[in-house]
Amino acid sequence: MTIRHAASSRPRAVRHARTHGSHGVLRGIALATTALLAFAGSGMAAAYTQLQSNIQSQDVTELLGDRPTPTPDPDDPNAGQAVNILLMGSDVRDGANAEIGGAVEGMRSDTTIVLHISADRSRVELVSIPRDSLVDIPACARSDGSSSRAQFGQFNAAFSIGSEKTGLASDAAACTIQTVESNTGVFIHHYVVIDFAGFIGMVDALGGIPMCIPNDMRSSKAGLDLTAGEQVLDGSTALAYARARTGEGLGNGSDTDRLVRQQKLLGATVRTVLSKSLLTDVPQLVQFLNAATSSVTANPELASIPAMTGLAFSLQNVSTGNITFMTIPFAAARSDPNRVEWTSEADQIWANMAADLPLVPAEVPDPAVPADPAATAPADPGTTAPEVPETAPAPPVTEPSEDAPLTAAVSDVCGPA
C-alpha cells in the first residue's frame, strides 16, 4: 500500500513566527467515514445524533459575493462532479485548546489544504498552501456587516482578517475561501475549520499511528521527544510531531519543512484508518468518530451525515496509490526572503485542479521520438539474457532547484529502532 507524496521546491531558509501544526485532513477523512454509521443499524441512533451534534454548521454563502453556484443533484449533491473542500486548521487558544497549547487571544490559521476529489472518484489530491505565501487578499465581508480592505499580504492573514471583528470561524473561513478562489481560479464547494482539541482523542481511539521516524527529533516548545526508528505515536506525541517547528532533528526550522512532516503524518493516518476494521468494532468506531467530529465547523451541505454518506461511499474504490499529498510549488519571495511566493509550476497545478485533471500527469511517450527497436523486439531463444545484479546502483540525489517540477517523491529511511 502506497500513498504518493509530491515534494515542492523551497527556499533554503524561511523564518517564521511561532505556529502550530494542523490535522485538517485527518478529520476531513473522518468526516467522510462518519457516513458509515448510517448503515450500522438502529441501535446506533443515539451515537448518530451525538456525532451530528458535534459538528457546528455555518453557511457563509452570503459572505462570498458574486460567484457561480453549482446546481446539485437533490439526491446526492456531490454526484457526477469534482469536489473541492478547503480544510483549515484553526489555532484558537480558548477552552480545551488553551489547556493543550496555552491561552492566547485571537484567531489564527497555520495550515490550509485544498482537498480535491475527482468527478469520477478515482483520485484524491491534497495540496498544502504555505502560510507565509504572499498573495492578494480581497476585500472580505463579515457577518456583522463590516468589511475588510483588499490588500497584499501573507496568506494566513486572510483567516485572521475575516474573523477580526466577529471572532467567528465561519467569517474567517469565508475570507480564506475568497483568497483561495481569487488566487487560484479553483472553486471551493465546501469548507471545514478544525481546532486541535479532539485530535489527541482521535489518534488514541485508533490505537496510535505507526510511523517511520528517520532521525531523533526533540522540541521543548512542542513537547516532542522521538527516537529514530519505527514508532507508534499516541495522540499527544502525534500532536507534538505535527506542531514542532524548531528543535533537534527538525530541519531548518521553517514552516515549509514542517509541512512535509505533517503530510507524512496525514499519510500514515490514512493508512491506519484504512487498515482498521472499524465497522466490526463499534465501540472503537464510535470513540474515533466522536473525537473526529468534535471541534469542527463546516458548511451545511457538508456538515450533515446524510450528505456525507453519498460522498463517502463514492470513494470506497479509490486506490491508495491515487491519494496524493503535495505542497504548492514555491520559492523565496523576491520582495522578502523570509516569505514565499508560488512558482510558475503552481499555475499549472491550480489549472489542472480547476479542470479536474491529474495534478501531476503520468509521463506520456513522445510519438515523435522513435522507439528503441531492441526494447520491443522478441527475445532470441538462442541467446541468454545477461545477469542483472540483485541490487541496482541508486540514482544520484540532487537538491531541487527553485523551479523544479513537482514530481519528486517524499520518503523516509528509518534509522535504528
Side-chain angles (χ1 to χ4, degrees):
M1 180 186 301
T2 59
I3 297 178
R4 293 191 298 127
H5 296 259
S8 68
S9 51
R10 60 177 182 263
R12 292 184 178 179
V14 181
R15 294 196 301 273
H16 301 272
R18 178 178 54 82
T19 62
H20 296 278
S22 166
H23 35 274
V25 174
L26 309 185
R27 294 230 185 96
I29 293 165
L31 284 174
T33 309
T34 305
L36 298 175
L37 278 180
F39 297 86
S42 58
M44 296 301 296
Y48 180 100
T49 302
Q50 174 62 42
L51 295 171
Q52 181 66 77
S53 66
N54 283 348
I55 308 171
Q56 299 181 52
S57 174
Q58 294 290 339
D59 191 349
V60 300
T61 305
E62 293 185 358
L63 302 180
L64 298 178
D66 188 15
R67 65 206 285 269
T69 303
T71 303
D73 182 315
D75 296 322
D76 180 0
N78 300 297
Q81 69 171 352
V83 178
N84 299 316
I85 305 174
L86 192 64
L87 306 174
M88 291 160 278
S90 172
D91 182 15
V92 178
R93 306 292 197 81
D94 55 14
N97 292 301
E99 296 177 10
I100 298 171
V104 178
E105 292 185 359
M107 185 174 288
R108 294 156 300 281
S109 176
D110 295 317
T111 301
T112 304
I113 297 173
V114 183
L115 166 62
H116 176 79
I117 302 171
S118 65
D120 64 6
R121 301 302 186 257
S122 66
R123 306 185 321 275
V124 176
E125 296 157 333
L126 303 99
V127 180
S128 297
I129 299 177
R131 72 184 204 101
D132 284 351
S133 301
L134 294 179
V135 297
D136 291 309
I137 301 173
C140 295
R142 305 185 184 97
S143 58
D144 66 351
S146 66
S147 179
S148 65
R149 61 178 178 82
Q151 54 196 282
F152 181 75
Q154 189 170 302
F155 173 78
N156 75 330
F159 196 89
S160 298
I161 290 170
S163 61
E164 184 177 342
K165 301 290 185 180
T166 65
L168 295 176
S170 53
D171 285 2
C175 192
T176 306
I177 290 171
Q178 288 180 276
T179 302
V180 169
E181 290 185 340
S182 63
N183 283 275
T184 69
V186 173
F187 183 86
I188 300 299
H189 300 87
H190 307 294
Y191 79 88
V192 179
V193 179
I194 316 97
D195 60 41
F196 51 67
F199 178 62
I200 292 175
M202 185 186 69
V203 173
D204 287 341
L206 289 172
I209 305 297
M211 286 197 69
C212 167
I213 305 300
N215 52 264
D216 293 350
M217 297 180 181
R218 294 182 176 84
S219 171
S220 57
K221 182 177 292 186
L224 179 67
D225 188 351
L226 277 174
T227 302
E230 297 288 348
Q231 305 286 357
V232 177
L233 310 189
D234 61 15
S236 297
T237 306
L239 181 60
Y241 177 88
R243 294 174 61 196
R245 180 173 61 85
T246 59
E248 177 188 339
L250 297 172
N252 63 15
S254 69
D255 187 65
T256 49
D257 266 7
R258 180 170 56 184
L259 278 179
V260 175
R261 292 192 296 275
Q262 290 173 355
Q263 290 173 355
K264 293 173 184 174
L265 176 62
L266 299 181
T269 303
V270 172
R271 288 191 292 270
T272 302
V273 170
L274 295 178
S275 68
K276 295 282 185 178
S277 299
L278 291 181
L279 288 181
T280 61
D281 187 346
V282 174
Q284 186 184 36
L285 175 64
V286 173
Q287 183 183 358
F288 169 69
L289 294 177
N290 188 55
T293 55
S294 298
S295 306
V296 168
T297 301
N299 58 299
E301 296 82 3
L302 184 65
S304 70
I305 290 179
M308 289 187 287
T309 301
L311 182 60
F313 276 87
S314 71
L315 294 172
Q316 61 184 325
N317 294 321
V318 174
S319 164
T320 53
N322 286 335
I323 301 175
T324 303
F325 294 91
M326 65 177 66
T327 300
I328 200 65
F330 63 87
R334 287 162 290 186
S335 60
D336 183 351
N338 298 320
R339 299 292 178 264
V340 302
E341 59 187 15
W342 302 342
T343 65
S344 57
E345 284 84 3
D347 296 337
Q348 189 61 56
I349 294 295
W350 296 128
N352 285 356
M353 181 179 286
D356 193 24
L357 298 173
L359 302 193
V360 184
E363 293 186 7
V364 178
D366 186 347
V369 178
D372 182 359
T376 57
D380 184 347
T383 63
T384 302
E387 292 186 4
V388 179
E390 292 183 3
T391 304
V397 178
T398 58
E399 184 71 17
S401 67
E402 290 187 349
D403 292 313
L406 193 63
T407 55
V410 176
S411 62
D412 274 337
V413 177
C414 254

